[in-house]
Amino acid sequence: MATPTLDAFQVIGDPSRRKMLMLLSEDSLTINSLADNFDMSRPAVSKHIKILYNAGFISIEDIGRERYCTLKQDGFKELQNWISYFDKFWTSKLKKLETLLNNKFPN
């Protein structure tokens, strides 16, 4: 079964994947170490890891017999770009409100 292609918001929309990202923000972990934090089957954990990997949120490196997952910036860029757009939007709106209030109620 193919792993679905999801956008960044769909990827982080799942609580288990968000928890995996939080765990990986502390340190690189093996797939087995990640799986130990969840009450789900190893294949289910692997599916979530594959989704995170395909979306660019993590990298996977083989070291000996273990596979280590590490956070990557790529997946977060889409989220940051979207949030930045609205940061600029609200900054602009608040600046206009400030100007309006300053004109209406001068010091």
Side-chain angles (χ1 to χ4, degrees):
M1 182 175 172
T3 304
T5 302
L6 305 174
D7 71 28
F9 290 94
Q10 290 170 311
V11 171
I12 65 165
D14 183 275
S16 297
R17 290 192 288 269
R18 286 194 308 269
K19 183 176 178 184
M20 288 178 183
L21 292 172
M22 293 300 291
L23 290 167
L24 290 171
S25 73
E26 296 171 14
D27 198 7
S28 296
L29 294 170
T30 65
I31 293 174
N32 287 331
S33 296
L34 263 177
D36 290 342
N37 291 281
F38 298 91
D39 187 25
M40 64 177 82
S41 68
R42 301 285 171 153
V45 170
S46 291
K47 183 178 178 183
H48 286 298
I49 289 170
K50 191 170 188 178
I51 289 169
L52 291 169
Y53 174 80
N54 288 340
F57 282 90
I58 64 169
S59 63
I60 300 174
E61 183 180 4
D62 294 329
I63 301 176
R65 295 177 7 160
E66 296 286 352
R67 300 187 80 207
Y68 282 84
C69 299
T70 305
L71 280 186
K72 256 177 83 175
Q73 188 177 11
D74 299 357
F76 294 95
K77 285 180 184 174
E78 182 180 351
L79 299 173
Q80 186 60 49
N81 289 340
W82 193 84
I83 291 168
S84 291
Y85 172 83
F86 286 98
D87 280 344
K88 291 173 190 169
F89 170 82
W90 285 114
T91 299
S92 170
K93 295 295 183 189
L94 291 172
K95 193 69 175 161
K96 287 178 184 177
L97 176 61
E98 178 184 39
T99 302
L100 177 72
L101 292 174
N102 286 337
N103 289 339
K104 190 167 184 129
F105 305 105
N107 290 338

